[in-house]
Amino acid sequence: MSVFAVLDQAAVRFGDQGAVFHGQSCVSTWVQLRDRALRLAASLRLQGIPPGTRIAIASENRPEIVELFFAAWAAECAVVPINFKLHPREMQQILEDSGAAQVFASAKIGPELGAFTDVPIDIVGSAGYRDRFAAEPAAVPDTDPETLAWLFYTSGTTGRSKGAMLSHRNLMAMTVAHLADIDSPDDACSLIHGAPMSHGSGLYVLPYVLRGARQVVPGSGSFDTGEFLDLCDHHPGASAFLAPTMVQRLVEMGRPRPRNLRTIVYGGGPMYVESMKKALAAFGPVFAQIYGQGESPMTITGLRRADHEGADDAVLGSVGYARSGMQVAVLDDDGLPVPTGQVGEIACRGDAVMTGYWNNPAATAETLQGGWLRTGDVGSFDGRGFLTLRDRSKDVVISGGSNIYPREVEEALLEHPGVSEACVVGAPDAEWGEVVVAFVVAASGPAAPTPALADELDAHLLQRIARFKRPKRYEMIAELPKNSYGKVLKRELRSHLS
Ligand code: AMP
């Protein structure tokens, strides 16, 4: 079964209803979307692109991305989504590694990328792109579910970026688990693409298309808080996937809850307890959490909307419990499960887990062991089945032989009213091996280093965490460096320290 079936079924059930919207304007119905995807698929065939080929997309959010996903699947090809904020040289590395035969790029990205690659580029929305729709529609595909559907390049925080291979079976497992655990929309709902469609927001096309929910792409093509909230006022049953830092920006705007806001799914990075409390106070119980990674997209654990209501700090600070169809374990260095409450590496298995890394058997063997995906995240289960994620294992600070989890220190710092954002990293130290350094964005806005605040924060932490976990140094900065998915770039912060 191909994931194209998702659109095929939506076209039958929801026919002439609005499917894709650019801002407030409808650009296609479900029947039109299906027709456009099949014509685009036929144009790829006419171009000589055989089944099994990789088709790359490098664009800020645009409405055509939805038809391009389904066109690639209809042509039995795999999508290679490329983060539009990458340098063209990095995009070229992905094109080369994946062996993509065609790139669809936005008018902003295409010309620059052309200087770095020989792979044919089609500018989305150009006359050449429009000509493709003259092709007669292709037949609906009948694809082996083990076929590659989505080749996702990890953000490469641990070195060279790797391509996580996701099959049609993997994407269907993700789709069904989303509908079962996180959000169950219908055709009176909308998915607002606030986060980049090259990542989670793009993958969520599948569950929302299956239920006939509108696909709404903001006119700006990116995340503008005012525009996003306006779209949540305008479109019915608005849902979105947002990184925690995006949620925080929405809350800081201080606008009332949009009348049509239904669900904000957050994840992809830590949501601090204090930030979640503020978000719940501002918008009410509209939040659901997912914990996943490119290798098990959006699907390891989760917290439903209802789990947030009246939840204690331990629940709000957790990443929830195992998702439907997934098994989640915390393992020791020998790969054996640790007792409840003990910290170890988080591993998961189930149909959402990737089939391996593209052309990289060594990395695959390291990451997929005995059927388990080793996530590289460190965490523990409590007696109620809630998983608390401490950190990425490589971010754990080892100072004087003790493990310090940055997230715990960050959570404590954020309880201080003078702190708007905090990020904790380890800095090399001759005496201790590593010491804790805190980068702090002051709530009062860009501030010069204030020894007074550092002293105050130290006293604040003494009341909350063990002495040895306290930062040895505070760096006041105007903002934390983040990638386009809203993740804090710890590597960049560390480079300031050496
Ligand atoms: P990516 O593969 O780019 O999606 O990054 C996945 C990583 O983001 C995970 O391995 C976690 O370290 C982190 N992450 C994802 N979801 C959450 C979450 N809900 N809370 C904290 N960290 C998360």
Side-chain angles (χ1 to χ4, degrees):
M1 180 192 181
S2 166
V3 285
F4 186 84
V6 162
L7 174 59
D8 207 34
Q9 290 167 11
V12 173
R13 289 189 57 205
F14 309 110
D16 292 333
Q17 295 181 37
V20 181
F21 288 72
H22 199 197
Q24 299 192 358
S25 322
C26 179
V27 296
S28 63
T29 66
W30 293 106
V31 166
Q32 287 166 341
L33 177 64
R34 177 183 182 277
D35 180 69
R36 286 175 69 84
L38 290 174
R39 285 177 193 273
L40 262 177
S43 80
L44 290 170
R45 280 279 186 281
L46 289 173
Q47 200 184 327
I49 290 182
T53 308
R54 273 79 53 217
I55 306 286
I57 304 175
S59 170
E60 59 284 356
N61 286 358
R62 286 191 56 99
E64 293 88 350
I65 292 178
V66 182
E67 66 197 22
L68 278 167
F69 288 170
F70 286 102
W73 294 325
E76 303 199 67
C77 293
V79 174
V80 185
I82 298 183
N83 175 357
F84 72 94
K85 290 245 172 98
L86 291 182
H87 188 277
R89 193 182 296 281
E90 296 167 308
M91 293 188 180
Q92 156 59 10
Q93 282 163 5
I94 291 179
L95 294 176
E96 195 180 312
D97 190 77
S98 65
Q102 171 71 43
V103 197
F104 289 94
S106 65
K108 248 189 228 164
I109 291 169
E112 260 190 52
L113 180 57
F116 286 83
T117 184
D118 295 332
V119 178
I121 300 178
D122 236 34
I123 303 291
V124 177
S126 67
Y129 182 80
R130 288 198 299 274
D131 285 350
R132 288 177 173 273
F133 296 96
E136 283 302 311
V140 171
D142 181 16
T143 310
D144 179 337
E146 306 312 329
T147 306
L148 180 66
W150 184 263
L151 184 57
F152 175 78
Y153 279 80
T154 58
S155 45
T157 45
T158 50
R160 201 170 70 90
S161 173
K162 299 183 290 265
M165 297 190 287
L166 296 159
S167 65
H168 289 260
R169 179 192 298 286
N170 295 150
L171 297 189
M172 276 315 291
M174 176 207 74
T175 301
V176 171
H178 184 79
L179 297 172
D181 306 331
I182 303 295
D183 196 19
S184 186
D186 58 23
D187 59 335
C189 294
S190 314
L191 177 66
I192 319 278
H193 290 286
M197 294 171 81
S198 56
H199 204 321
S201 203
L203 284 169
Y204 277 169
V205 163
L206 286 168
Y208 291 86
V209 166
L210 185 61
R211 292 287 177 82
R214 294 178 177 189
Q215 303 293 311
V216 179
V217 180
S220 69
S222 63
F223 183 63
D224 176 283
T225 45
E227 178 189 34
F228 178 85
L229 291 175
D230 288 345
L231 289 173
C232 293
D233 263 331
H234 179 80
H235 289 284
S239 297
F241 169 73
L242 297 178
T245 50
M246 294 172 166
V247 174
Q248 194 174 350
R249 281 175 56 199
L250 284 183
V251 171
E252 279 166 3
M253 279 199 86
R255 268 178 51 173
R257 170 185 172 165
R259 65 173 174 275
N260 289 336
L261 180 59
R262 183 167 173 277
T263 309
I264 290 181
V265 182
Y266 65 91
M271 171 65 92
Y272 300 102
V273 175
E274 286 307 307
S275 309
M276 189 70 259
K277 285 182 179 166
K278 284 182 195 154
L280 286 166
F283 292 138
V286 297
F287 295 96
Q289 183 183 188
I290 61 97
Y291 159 49
Q293 55 178 205
E295 292 82 348
S296 185
M298 320 303 273
T299 318
I300 300 176
T301 61
L303 269 183
R304 295 169 305 150
R305 277 185 303 227
D307 296 320
H308 289 74
E309 287 184 66
D312 56 40
D313 285 7
V315 170
L316 286 185
S318 79
V319 291
Y321 38 85
R323 299 285 303 282
S324 297
M326 296 300 288
Q327 220 182 331
V328 182
V330 175
L331 306 177
D332 66 15
D333 291 344
D334 298 322
L336 298 171
V338 301
T340 303
Q342 272 188 31
V343 172
E345 185 182 359
I346 299 165
C348 67
R349 64 180 176 187
D351 273 356
V353 172
M354 68 165 182
T355 58
Y357 291 115
W358 177 256
N359 279 343
N360 199 338
T364 302
E366 213 176 285
T367 310
L368 293 180
Q369 291 178 15
W372 290 92
L373 167 71
R374 309 294 295 245
T375 62
D377 290 321
V378 176
S380 59
F381 270 115
D382 70 10
R384 299 179 289 178
F386 289 99
L387 180 70
T388 296
L389 204 153
R390 304 289 158 141
D391 253 297
R392 300 283 303 159
S393 52
K394 67 179 171 40
D395 290 333
V396 174
V397 181
I398 304 177
S399 188
S402 299
N403 283 5
I404 300 169
Y405 300 107
R407 168 129 188 210
E408 189 189 349
V409 185
E410 290 158 3
E411 293 270 15
L413 283 168
L414 284 163
E415 283 176 36
H416 190 283
V419 175
S420 147
E421 286 186 283
C423 181
V424 163
V425 299
D429 182 81
E431 189 183 351
W432 297 98
E434 276 186 301
V435 290
V436 173
V437 177
F439 287 85
V440 171
V441 179
S444 55
T450 53
L453 180 58
D455 287 349
E456 230 183 80
L457 291 177
D458 197 52
H460 167 85
L461 292 185
L462 270 173
Q463 308 296 318
R464 288 167 172 80
I465 57 173
R467 301 184 79 89
F468 72 94
K469 298 177 183 171
R470 282 147 50 226
K472 292 267 185 299
R473 218 164 108 194
Y474 289 89
E475 300 278 342
M476 302 296 164
I477 52 174
E479 58 180 332
L480 296 175
K482 290 174 193 138
N483 69 13
S484 59
Y485 301 138
K487 280 188 207 279
V488 176
L489 296 167
K490 289 201 165 186
R491 194 166 46 177
E492 202 166 297
L493 288 174
R494 283 194 202 99
S495 70
H496 293 300
L497 298 173
S498 42

